[in-house]
Amino acid sequence: MKSEMTMATGNSCELILALDLPDKIQALNLLDRIDNELTWVKVGLQMFTRWGPDLLNEVADRGYKIFLDLKLHDISNTVASTIESLSKCPVEMMTLHSLGGPEMINAAKEMRNSCGSQVKLIAVTVLTSHDESTLDAIGLNGPIPKRVPALAEMAVASGADGLVCSPLEVVPLREKLGSESLLITPGIRPIGSAVGDQKRIMTPAEAACAGSSFIVVGRPILQAQDPKNAALAIQTELASQRKNG
Ligand code: C5P
């Protein structure tokens, strides 16, 4: 049985495992192996598209909390209806795209509230795979260090409970948004683990120290020889940062 955890804010930092695997049985076996070293699991488009709400139920039945990362971006009515559909699923946090604009984010929040759902709405700003030339190509004015805080502020003012951002964006976003907003950061690499395609990285302790509410870690755990140990090492690093911070 997993311990009850409060929702992390700027004062603590929790680990989320990105469950980026092609196969449901493999994913559930991995969760059974990691067991009590972990509370949060991120389910993304790849797995949700293939396995849907059944996967969410099977993950939640094992006692995990779910961060559903679908980056919803559509007309307000469609996003609100999707929030209503998802309110039947065991999801604690989910993403929507800030480029959907204030009306879409507000419609999502209104629907969440009217469903009596507690799901936290987390906005994505500029994808970390985008650079200035991508912004030009889609007709958005850069530069990214200006665009991200502007989108973040709009998203939170429109009803988002937090943001997905690069760990390098956490300090300025915390200054702008205060301690209540949830800041969720991928791009995390423990010392010694392969960087892969992530470009702007921090260690778990650095991200926690900067003010991340949650760190999202995939391959450093998924591809470790002993995933349970890899998760434990990150939890230990976060706990010691908490003690020293
Ligand atoms: O394997 P790795 O630790 O790089 O996984 C990071 C996870 O965070 C992946 O699921 C990836 O899709 C997601 N993510 C990201 N960068 C973003 C948004 C999400 O790496 N800007």
Side-chain angles (χ1 to χ4, degrees):
M1 192 68 180
K2 294 177 192 310
S3 61
E4 270 303 306
M5 306 194 84
T6 52
M7 197 62 86
T9 63
N11 305 320
S12 65
C13 182
E14 307 289 344
L15 170 63
I16 303 176
L17 171 67
L19 200 60
D20 297 328
L21 293 169
D23 181 70
K24 186 170 84 163
I25 301 299
Q26 188 189 353
L28 295 176
N29 284 343
L30 180 90
L31 293 182
D32 289 339
R33 275 175 72 196
I34 294 182
D35 190 29
N36 50 9
E37 300 311 337
L38 189 69
T39 301
W40 287 90
V41 171
K42 178 171 91 76
V43 175
L45 273 171
Q46 179 190 10
M47 292 212 84
F48 189 73
T49 303
R50 182 84 192 268
W51 310 104
D54 285 351
L55 172 69
L56 303 182
N57 289 326
E58 288 180 78
V59 172
D61 285 349
R62 285 164 166 77
Y64 291 99
K65 294 185 175 186
I66 298 175
F67 173 36
L68 184 62
D69 185 19
L70 303 181
K71 300 184 181 68
L72 300 181
H73 183 184
D74 208 319
I75 61 170
S76 303
N77 184 62
T78 301
V79 168
S81 306
T82 307
I83 300 280
E84 186 179 22
S85 299
L86 286 170
S87 70
K88 317 280 185 295
C89 295
V91 173
E92 312 278 335
M93 301 195 284
M94 57 177 292
T95 50
L96 66 181
H97 210 300
S98 61
L99 291 180
E103 273 179 33
M104 186 201 83
I105 296 169
N106 192 253
K109 184 190 86 173
E110 293 295 320
M111 180 58 84
R112 184 266 317 270
N113 292 348
S114 74
C115 289
S117 160
Q118 304 285 319
V119 69
K120 300 287 183 195
L121 300 173
I122 307 297
V124 175
T125 56
V126 176
L127 295 175
T128 47
S129 54
H130 285 184
D131 58 15
E132 310 286 333
S133 67
T134 323
L135 292 197
D136 274 355
I138 59 177
L140 266 186
N141 291 327
I144 288 176
K146 267 195 169 171
R147 198 47 45 219
V148 168
L151 284 168
E153 215 163 16
M154 177 277 291
V156 169
S158 307
D161 300 292
L163 299 155
V164 178
C165 61
S166 152
L168 299 170
E169 290 158 357
V170 166
V171 169
L173 287 177
R174 270 270 166 256
E175 273 169 19
K176 209 174 236 311
L177 302 172
S179 61
E180 286 307 302
S181 291
L182 300 168
L183 297 182
I184 303 184
T185 55
I188 302 297
R189 289 293 178 266
I191 288 168
S193 64
V195 171
D197 54 358
Q198 292 286 7
K199 295 201 170 64
R200 301 189 303 147
I201 58 169
M202 279 192 184
T203 66
E206 285 169 344
C209 185
S212 292
S213 317
F214 293 90
I215 55 170
V216 178
V217 181
R219 287 163 289 180
I221 296 175
L222 300 174
Q223 296 178 356
Q225 274 200 331
D226 185 339
K228 182 171 176 142
N229 250 342
L232 173 62
I234 294 172
Q235 296 287 25
T236 306
E237 188 176 330
L238 290 178
S240 75
Q241 200 283 329
R242 240 173 258 140
K243 226 164 63 190
N244 299 331

